[in-house]
Amino acid sequence: METKKTEFGKEEYIKIYEYKRVKVKDTIYDVLRLDDIASANKYENESEYDIESGKYKDRKVAILFTDEGKEDFYCLPLTTVEKNLMTDMNPDDKEKITYDNYLAKCPNAEYQVVEYLCGRPILKILTDDAIKEHFKYAASPSVNESLLNIIGDGTAQSFTIDPTTISKIVGKENALTLQDPNKNIRSLSEFDIGSKYTELKKKLVGLDEQLKILLANITKNISLSVSGMDKEKTKELKSSLLIHGPAGSGKTFMITSSAGLFNVPYVIEDATRYSPVAYKGSDIEDILLNLYRAAHEDKEAFEHGIIFIDEFDKICKYSTPEDYAVKQDTQNSLLTLMQGTVIHKTVRKGLSEVELELDTSNITFVLSGAFEGILNEENVDIDDLVDYGMIRQLAGRIKQVIRTTNPTKEQLKEALLNSKFSYLKLIEEYFSIYNIKLDVSPEFMDAIVEEAYNKKSGYRGLSAAITKCINDVLFDVYSSKQTVVKLQIK
């Protein structure tokens, strides 16, 4: 049978994944690591793409769900959301559809195949370090053969490897890590805060001033960390931040959206998971190890990093004397880190253990929580935080407080209609994969906005209300050949 090119031809862009089937203890996992972004052609009735650009140019790469487990590399088309993120909502600007830009805008590059649904892979972002270890030394072709041999026989710890080579080994680059450590950044325009703000405004509605404050303070901290100023002076100039506001007002989404824009390692932690140092369970210093791993075990990159701690209000309030003691001690442990100090931690390297000296002086700390009871206060001060349950020394380290509020009806509707991550738009994109059209009446959108506003559930309330309505039709969608899903007032 004659084959012909698809109608999109060279307009199709794909993600190429390195594939491994790895065994951890007694469990086998299918794992993918993003290796390139490329333009490609596919012919009808065929299960592979002809690659037209990038490191695999002129090769054929199979589509993941056609014959998984038999090839070293697989590919999947870029989604509309990914193209929008990479090109700042201008998918026709194909020069921005690159591997580096993908990592900058969509930083998760390692996935576990959880299951296959109707032949399509369901991917989960890979977080298990034991599984990640199998990709630790997956070097790009630009790393020379002798270095690969050194790494392969397990003796790499005996050598000093420069950051550029390390970045090639792990398959990622970090702008700050790769700079000449003796060269200070003298132009603040290098931080490109304006484009970061423009990008975030497409995702977040009604948080313009909050975004400006957050971006400005993080930029200040990072610029101080690479300025070459005396360490004690930079510690005094550095700002620790607190974001407070009601549930659904955009605190967490603002953090998650901002975190990956600065080309420095970052972690987002839940305060309730941690206890004081030397208590059972995860102690607060373990956050440093998480940031160290996020920096690919590069101490220089680690020292420029950002630590976001959400649900922080939960370790300020207490109900019993015992609860009070534990939470106060946890805050004291965090205070030690925020003041800037060198922490000694032991980590396992292969079969041996290595002691690390982790300097926290330049790390940016951002705390976040609802802090109910002080929500209506425009100017939260140290005494307000102490009254809430924060120890005074820690409250004194907070140099910038950012307040979020319940969105207005107009802001809710703007988010529903125009945010890049509108739940309605994401559902629409998901259905379009299966050639199903989403038909939403204006009256329905008004009703969703009204419900979220009246319940004071904020932006989160929009997705909750839409999910409830979508759930009513999902069974019919999956059990029939329905081509249109109508959302309207009954």
Side-chain angles (χ1 to χ4, degrees):
M1 181 170 60
E2 183 182 356
T3 60
K4 55 183 179 179
K5 287 186 180 181
T6 53
E7 61 180 3
F8 43 75
K10 294 183 180 180
E11 297 297 321
E12 181 73 349
Y13 282 81
I14 61 173
K15 299 165 285 187
I16 301 175
Y17 295 103
E18 179 187 1
Y19 168 88
K20 280 189 180 181
R21 178 160 283 176
V22 300
K23 185 175 183 180
V24 179
K25 296 183 179 179
D26 295 323
T27 305
I28 295 176
Y29 300 92
D30 287 328
V31 185
L32 303 171
R33 172 182 170 275
L34 183 70
D35 205 50
D36 202 13
I37 303 291
S39 58
N41 269 314
K42 185 171 81 70
Y43 294 83
E44 287 186 358
N45 306 316
E46 289 198 1
S47 58
E48 59 188 6
Y49 280 91
D50 292 326
I51 312 303
E52 297 202 335
S53 65
K55 65 167 75 174
Y56 299 104
K57 184 178 180 181
D58 298 328
R59 283 183 54 175
K60 291 181 180 291
V61 178
I63 301 171
L64 177 60
F65 54 83
T66 60
D67 200 15
E68 64 278 355
K70 295 184 180 179
E71 304 286 346
D72 293 329
F73 297 92
Y74 288 95
C75 66
L76 285 174
L78 283 169
T79 67
T80 302
V81 171
E82 288 170 327
K83 287 181 183 177
N84 285 340
L85 283 173
M86 295 167 72
T87 62
D88 301 326
M89 294 295 286
N90 183 18
D92 292 331
D93 189 356
K94 296 181 177 56
E95 290 186 0
K96 290 188 176 181
I97 302 179
T98 65
Y99 175 70
D100 290 338
N101 206 21
Y102 185 92
L103 292 183
K105 300 295 179 67
C106 318
N108 295 309
E110 295 165 319
Y111 303 87
Q112 177 184 339
V113 182
V114 182
E115 60 179 309
Y116 293 88
L117 181 64
C118 301
R120 293 179 180 271
I122 306 300
L123 303 183
K124 172 186 175 184
I125 295 169
L126 189 59
T127 56
D128 191 318
D129 289 335
I131 304 175
K132 273 189 173 184
E133 188 72 20
H134 289 266
F135 276 114
K136 186 173 182 180
Y137 299 133
S140 67
S142 57
V143 181
N144 64 59
E145 192 64 32
S146 61
L147 178 59
L148 283 174
N149 290 336
I150 292 171
I151 294 170
D153 67 17
T155 60
Q157 293 178 42
S158 304
F159 293 80
T160 300
I161 305 175
D162 65 277
T164 302
T165 304
I166 290 175
S167 72
K168 292 175 182 176
I169 294 169
V170 300
K172 292 185 178 181
E173 293 190 359
N174 181 293
L176 284 174
T177 306
L178 300 183
Q179 288 169 351
D180 182 348
N182 298 315
K183 177 188 174 185
N184 301 328
I185 294 179
R186 293 301 183 188
S187 173
L188 293 178
S189 63
E190 294 182 45
F191 292 99
D192 201 16
I193 190 171
S195 66
K196 291 180 175 66
Y197 177 65
T198 301
E199 174 68 22
L200 289 173
K201 281 189 66 176
K202 295 173 184 174
K203 297 182 185 181
L204 297 148
V205 174
L207 294 168
D208 293 4
E209 292 307 310
Q210 291 90 336
L211 284 173
K212 286 181 179 179
I213 296 170
L214 179 65
L215 292 175
N217 279 273
I218 292 178
T219 299
K220 182 185 78 171
N221 289 352
I222 295 173
S223 65
L224 281 169
S225 74
V226 296
S227 67
M229 285 183 64
D230 179 78
K231 183 182 293 186
E232 292 304 313
K233 293 178 180 178
T234 60
K235 282 165 62 174
E236 288 303 312
L237 285 171
K238 189 182 75 169
S239 294
S240 295
L241 296 89
L242 173 71
I243 305 173
H244 78 99
S249 60
K251 301 184 303 296
T252 302
F253 193 36
M254 183 164 64
I255 288 171
T256 55
S257 300
S258 305
L261 298 180
F262 289 92
N263 291 324
V264 297
Y266 66 90
V267 290
I268 300 174
E269 304 284 349
D270 187 325
T272 59
R273 293 181 52 223
Y274 292 95
S275 60
V277 176
Y279 277 62
K280 286 185 177 180
S282 298
D283 70 52
I284 204 76
E285 289 182 0
D286 289 340
I287 294 176
L288 299 183
L289 291 180
N290 294 341
L291 182 62
Y292 180 67
R293 295 185 187 104
H296 302 297
E297 301 185 0
D298 182 333
K299 283 179 64 176
E300 184 184 349
F302 162 87
E303 291 177 4
H304 300 300
I306 310 171
I307 293 176
F308 298 91
I309 304 179
D310 205 359
E311 303 290 349
F312 190 77
D313 55 320
K314 302 291 196 308
I315 63 168
C316 293
K317 283 290 187 183
Y318 56 89
S319 54
T320 65
E322 293 79 9
D323 188 33
Y324 169 81
V326 171
K327 290 182 176 180
Q328 293 272 298
D329 285 348
T330 304
Q331 291 185 48
N332 273 305
S333 297
L334 178 61
L335 173 64
T336 300
L337 306 187
M338 290 174 63
Q339 286 176 326
T341 187
V342 176
I343 301 294
H344 296 267
K345 299 293 289 185
T346 301
V347 297
R348 181 168 291 280
K349 293 271 191 178
L351 299 177
S352 61
E353 290 187 338
V354 177
E355 186 172 279
L356 295 174
E357 290 186 352
L358 299 176
D359 190 343
T360 69
S361 301
N362 289 323
I363 292 174
T364 297
F365 288 86
V366 182
L367 312 181
S368 174
F371 287 89
E372 294 180 5
I374 60 175
L375 294 181
N376 297 322
E377 297 187 30
E378 291 284 351
N379 299 303
V380 174
D381 60 22
I382 291 177
D383 290 333
D384 295 319
L385 296 175
V386 172
D387 289 343
Y388 195 87
M390 192 181 295
I391 61 173
R392 183 167 292 277
Q393 299 94 317
L394 184 57
R397 300 297 304 180
I398 306 297
K399 294 186 179 179
Q400 180 64 59
V401 177
I402 301 173
R403 176 174 175 250
T404 61
T405 59
N406 281 315
T408 63
K409 288 184 183 180
E410 291 74 17
Q411 289 169 340
L412 287 169
K413 190 163 187 177
E414 175 72 12
L416 188 64
L417 294 176
N418 297 320
S419 169
K420 285 173 67 174
F421 279 81
S422 161
Y423 196 73
L424 197 61
K425 283 189 175 182
L426 295 178
I427 286 290
E428 185 176 26
E429 180 185 345
Y430 166 64
F431 280 166
S432 71
I433 294 172
Y434 302 97
N435 297 315
I436 298 170
K437 182 180 178 182
L438 188 64
D439 184 1
V440 186
S441 71
E443 295 79 13
F444 176 83
M445 287 190 282
D446 289 340
I448 292 295
V449 167
E450 190 74 25
E451 180 178 340
Y453 180 77
N454 291 336
K455 289 185 176 180
K456 297 189 183 300
S457 52
Y459 300 109
R460 200 175 296 163
L462 294 174
S463 57
I466 294 170
T467 299
K468 181 181 177 182
C469 298
I470 290 292
N471 283 340
D472 292 339
V473 300
L474 274 184
F475 184 84
D476 292 336
V477 170
Y478 294 138
S479 61
S480 68
K481 295 182 179 180
Q482 190 170 349
T483 58
V484 178
V485 173
K486 292 187 177 182
L487 296 180
Q488 53 192 2
I489 300 298
K490 295 180 179 179

